[in-house]
Amino acid sequence: MDTKDKLVLLDELFGNYRAEWLHEDIFKFFATPSYLNELTDRRPCVLIGGRGTGKTTVLKGLSYQGQYALNNQSLAEFDKVPYIGIYCRTNTNHVTVFSGKNISIEKWIPIFSHYINLIFTYEVLYFINWHKSLSPEDEQFSPNACKLIASTLLLSETICSSDELFNEIETALYIFQSSINNIADGNMPNLSMSGVPIKLVTEESLKLKQFRNKSFYFLIDEYENLLDYQQIIVNSLLKHVPESYTFKIGVRENGWRVKTTLNDDEVLNDPADYVLFDIVRDFTDKENGTLFDKFAQDVCILRLKNLYEDGMPFACMDEVLTSISIEEEGQKWGVEEHEYCKKVVEFEQEKGIDLNIHPLYKFFLYFWTICHNENLEAIVKDFELNRKNWNVRYENYRYSLLFKIKRGRGSGEISKYYAGWNTFVKLSNGNIRYLMELVYKAYFYHLRSGGDISKPIPLDVQTKAAKHVGWKNLTELDGTTKKGVQLTRMVQSLGTVFGQLAKDGDNLAPEIVQFEIEGKVSERTVELLSAGVMYLALVRMPANKLSSKSDVRDYMYSLHPIFAPYFGYSFRKKRKIPISDEEFLKCIDNQAEGVSAILRRKNIVPAERIAEPKQLDFFDIFDDND
């Protein structure tokens, strides 16, 4: 293949990040996450994760279509699977119709409950027909079972065959959907009792010989799209699941807004009522940190192996996305030529000593004298007497020093490498879509610049890819939610603050990349923080282990690591600064004033040097016409 063909193939392999765009290819590129087994038992499960963390892919993998594809389209193998997954995506256009129209929530509850009954019953019958198309000898519902199921939905009791039942329910579903907009005129339909048809159709289905000893899993995706009262209805079904079916729910963080049932005194609790799996938390914590790494490698290699011709070696991602040590990077940026390093070298020559340390370490010693207004001779003496303590101190600071070696470079230049497979994994923070974007763009720029695909991708190319992905996801925030404009401004302002701290925060602790809201917190701030977490502008973490996790002040926040390369600061979870409610809101309503207020309070930059927050200018990253 020539370069053009490889770029076309690369786009086919990686261009469709969303599971919804892949269609049948979703199973061709399916990589099994480590937590899949936890989802396959009968317990109700709630899968929490942001956009791009793989919820849709996993739920579709559990569906009967997914299991059939993953079992090489062998019905015999498929029939060994102990569950039947019914995938249902929550369509905003559909569920929002069930609101307003001068009808109270109390009246909408039975109406939407009937709609759920119709949807789930229809999907179960559709599965039965699908299975029969592959196995014509399948046992069918008895006439009595057909009448019972029809009667629970208030349909004709003359129905006596499976085909009649399916056709009648399909017709009833579409008629019901069409009638909703006219319901305010008094055209109230006959309504079924919540959950009764679902229980009956699943029980009768499992009596059929081909489905005995199985269970139905209703796989509800994008649960956050349900209105509050609609979540309460499904919560009630989840709370009281029978033996014939259970639920597996995919939802964004903060998207499960209501955890009560139709009985206000009932609250769903983990693990009594369901098993909670937080993809990012459980995939990236210290104990399971390698799980996402392995899963991400599997996802990428499944695609990339199609790009390499026969005979080309390709073993693992860290052989392609290489990195360098902190000290090596310091040398790349010319630390030996920096005045700080030269001052220490001159001192060594003057005193006739050899500290036997790396140039970056020498840079650090003089940096320390400047920050603490101390004498270099005193610092060196203390270093020689307490080298072990200084090594610990240097270890804490050395990464942050890379942002300070060449200050004042143009915004279009690279000021710090963001390269290496491990770095890309950390930047994605458990988000497989972000990880795929990073890998895709790195290969794209490498190939387009004439790079040899059999060679590692250069550090600067990887960094340009990381900056691009950060920029791209920042620009997309605007259209994700009605608060998108405010979230974009928030990221711009806080990104500018953290970038400035990285470059000029000499007298502060290194790698300040987190913040917490101190003092009184306004309702607007709470809403914006919640939206920021839901739409991946922010990452939140408990402020302390004893936190009740019930209040904004119980959390620390950081911008999502994917934005770090664009603004030029550390992606690592390190230290925090307090921000007042007023400062936070100023970062959105008056960006320059908000950024200035935070930096001035920290005595980082004189007022006249504080720039406007970094704006969304793609050409600030690098010259690119993509």
Side-chain angles (χ1 to χ4, degrees), residues 384-619:
E384 291 178 319
L385 293 173
N386 302 288
R387 186 176 290 250
K388 184 176 181 180
N389 292 337
W390 275 95
N391 287 346
V392 173
R393 187 177 290 166
Y394 172 65
E395 182 65 28
N396 288 332
Y397 273 84
R398 66 189 186 119
Y399 182 84
S400 66
L401 298 175
L402 297 175
F403 295 92
K404 307 176 187 297
I405 296 173
K406 286 189 177 180
R407 308 185 197 192
R409 282 172 287 176
S411 60
E413 295 183 28
I414 294 175
S415 59
K416 165 74 181 70
Y417 286 137
Y418 294 86
W421 171 252
N422 185 59
T423 294
F424 277 19
V425 168
K426 294 293 179 57
L427 290 174
S428 62
N429 194 46
N431 189 301
I432 192 62
R433 189 181 303 172
Y434 285 170
L435 193 284
M436 290 173 63
E437 287 185 40
L438 290 166
V439 173
Y440 167 65
K441 272 300 173 185
Y443 268 89
F444 177 85
Y445 290 128
H446 183 52
L447 288 171
R448 202 182 62 171
S449 63
D452 186 344
I453 197 172
S454 66
K455 304 293 183 182
I457 299 176
L459 303 175
D460 61 331
V461 174
Q462 294 184 54
T463 301
K464 289 178 179 180
K467 289 166 72 72
H468 176 277
V469 174
W471 168 85
K472 170 184 171 291
N473 282 283
L474 179 53
T475 61
E476 290 179 348
L477 268 179
D478 195 349
T480 57
T481 169
K482 61 184 180 181
K483 292 184 173 65
V485 173
Q486 297 179 73
L487 294 181
T488 301
R489 291 174 179 169
M490 176 194 71
V491 174
Q492 287 175 309
S493 297
L494 294 177
T496 300
V497 168
F498 293 134
Q500 199 74 51
L501 290 173
K503 295 177 180 65
D504 293 320
D506 293 348
N507 60 339
L508 298 175
E511 296 183 72
I512 296 176
V513 298
Q514 298 174 331
F515 68 95
E516 61 181 359
I517 305 298
E518 63 176 0
K520 185 177 180 181
V521 184
S522 66
E523 183 177 342
R524 183 185 173 206
T525 294
V526 172
E527 291 176 353
L528 286 169
L529 290 172
S530 179
V533 172
M534 179 180 290
Y535 293 100
L536 298 184
L538 298 173
V539 175
R540 71 175 184 177
M541 55 233 87
N544 60 72
K545 295 181 179 180
L546 299 178
S547 170
S548 64
K549 301 182 184 180
S550 60
D551 189 275
V552 165
R553 286 165 295 189
D554 291 327
Y555 290 99
M556 294 185 297
Y557 296 84
S558 67
L559 295 183
H560 194 287
I562 200 68
F563 301 121
Y566 179 65
F567 291 101
Y569 62 85
S570 172
F571 59 84
R572 309 194 305 179
K573 297 176 182 177
K574 291 293 182 178
R575 295 162 181 85
K576 65 182 179 181
I577 56 171
I579 296 177
S580 70
D581 187 84
E582 180 183 7
E583 289 171 337
F584 178 78
L585 293 178
K586 275 185 180 179
C587 284
I588 297 164
D589 299 332
N590 188 332
Q591 292 179 271
E593 186 176 338
V595 171
S596 176
I598 296 172
L599 293 178
R600 189 180 289 112
R601 178 166 57 84
K602 305 303 289 186
N603 296 317
I604 294 171
V605 183
E608 63 272 16
R609 288 182 55 202
I610 297 176
E612 292 281 337
K614 185 168 183 177
Q615 300 301 305
L616 292 173
D617 185 353
F618 182 54
F619 296 98

Side-chain angles (χ1 to χ4, degrees), residues 340-397:
Y340 286 6
C341 183
K342 287 183 175 180
K343 291 283 187 181
V344 177
V345 171
E346 291 171 1
F347 181 83
E348 286 179 303
Q349 293 172 346
E350 179 184 335
K351 300 296 183 180
I353 61 174
D354 181 3
L355 298 178
N356 193 28
I357 54 177
H358 192 275
L360 186 64
Y361 206 146
K362 295 178 182 181
F363 176 97
F364 171 62
L365 289 180
Y366 198 79
F367 169 81
W368 191 266
T369 69
I370 297 296
C371 294
H372 295 82
N373 195 28
E374 295 190 30
N375 179 272
L376 178 59
E377 184 171 0
I379 291 292
V380 171
K381 184 177 181 180
D382 188 61
F383 166 76
E384 291 178 319
L385 293 173
N386 302 288
R387 186 176 290 250
K388 184 176 181 180
N389 292 337
W390 275 95
N391 287 346
V392 173
R393 187 177 290 166
Y394 172 65
E395 182 65 28
N396 288 332
Y397 273 84

Side-chain angles (χ1 to χ4, degrees), residues 65-232:
Q65 299 98 325
Q67 287 299 303
Y68 181 65
L70 294 173
N71 280 286
N72 300 314
Q73 297 186 336
S74 165
L75 191 64
E77 292 301 312
F78 168 81
D79 284 340
K80 295 177 183 178
V81 178
Y83 59 87
I84 301 163
I86 306 292
Y87 177 82
C88 301
R89 177 175 171 267
T90 305
N91 189 316
T92 305
N93 294 327
H94 291 180
V95 299
T96 53
V97 171
F98 295 84
S99 63
K101 304 179 180 63
N102 295 319
I103 297 175
S104 67
I105 294 295
E106 289 71 22
K107 290 184 178 180
W108 276 121
I109 287 175
I111 295 171
F112 191 75
S113 296
H114 179 67
Y115 180 59
I116 291 178
N117 287 340
L118 284 171
I119 287 284
F120 285 3
T121 304
Y122 167 78
E123 292 293 347
V124 170
L125 295 176
Y126 189 94
F127 160 75
I128 291 174
N129 283 351
W130 171 85
H131 195 278
K132 186 175 185 295
S133 70
L134 300 174
S135 178
E137 69 278 5
D138 277 358
E139 184 181 5
Q140 295 293 288
F141 287 138
S142 67
N144 185 57
C146 292
K147 290 178 183 179
L148 286 174
I149 295 169
S151 66
T152 62
L153 290 166
L154 305 173
L155 303 177
S156 172
E157 295 185 10
T158 63
I159 296 173
C160 60
S161 73
S162 296
D163 288 340
E164 284 181 316
L165 178 63
F166 177 77
N167 292 334
E168 190 73 15
I169 291 178
E170 183 176 38
T171 301
L173 175 60
Y174 285 109
I175 290 175
F176 183 75
Q177 288 175 330
S178 301
S179 67
I180 290 300
N181 285 325
N182 303 314
I183 207 168
D185 299 329
N187 300 318
M188 188 68 69
N190 293 324
L191 303 173
S192 57
M193 183 176 291
S194 180
V196 172
I198 305 171
K199 180 175 182 293
L200 184 60
V201 74
T202 52
E203 288 176 343
E204 291 296 331
S205 298
L206 299 181
K207 290 177 183 178
L208 302 175
K209 63 181 181 181
Q210 63 269 21
F211 305 132
R212 286 173 189 160
N213 301 318
K214 293 181 181 287
S215 183
F216 280 93
Y217 291 1
F218 289 107
L219 314 165
I220 305 179
D221 200 5
E222 300 187 19
Y223 198 68
E224 66 276 2
N225 290 340
L226 290 174
L227 304 180
D228 287 359
Y229 86 85
Q230 296 167 352
Q231 289 191 353
I232 288 173

Side-chain angles (χ1 to χ4, degrees), residues 16-32:
N16 293 326
Y17 305 117
R18 295 186 60 177
E20 296 90 333
W21 298 341
L22 285 171
H23 303 296
E24 65 275 4
D25 283 343
I26 188 173
F27 305 118
K28 175 183 175 183
F29 295 127
F30 185 82
T32 303

Side-chain angles (χ1 to χ4, degrees), residues 283-312:
F283 232 2
T284 60
D285 62 18
K286 291 183 179 179
E287 183 177 348
N288 299 316
T290 59
L291 297 180
F292 179 72
D293 188 321
K294 182 181 184 306
F295 172 63
Q297 290 235 23
D298 291 344
V299 168
C300 292
I301 291 173
L302 272 172
R303 288 163 169 78
L304 288 172
K305 66 182 181 181
N306 295 278
L307 200 62
Y308 286 76
E309 298 174 10
D310 292 341
M312 279 190 178

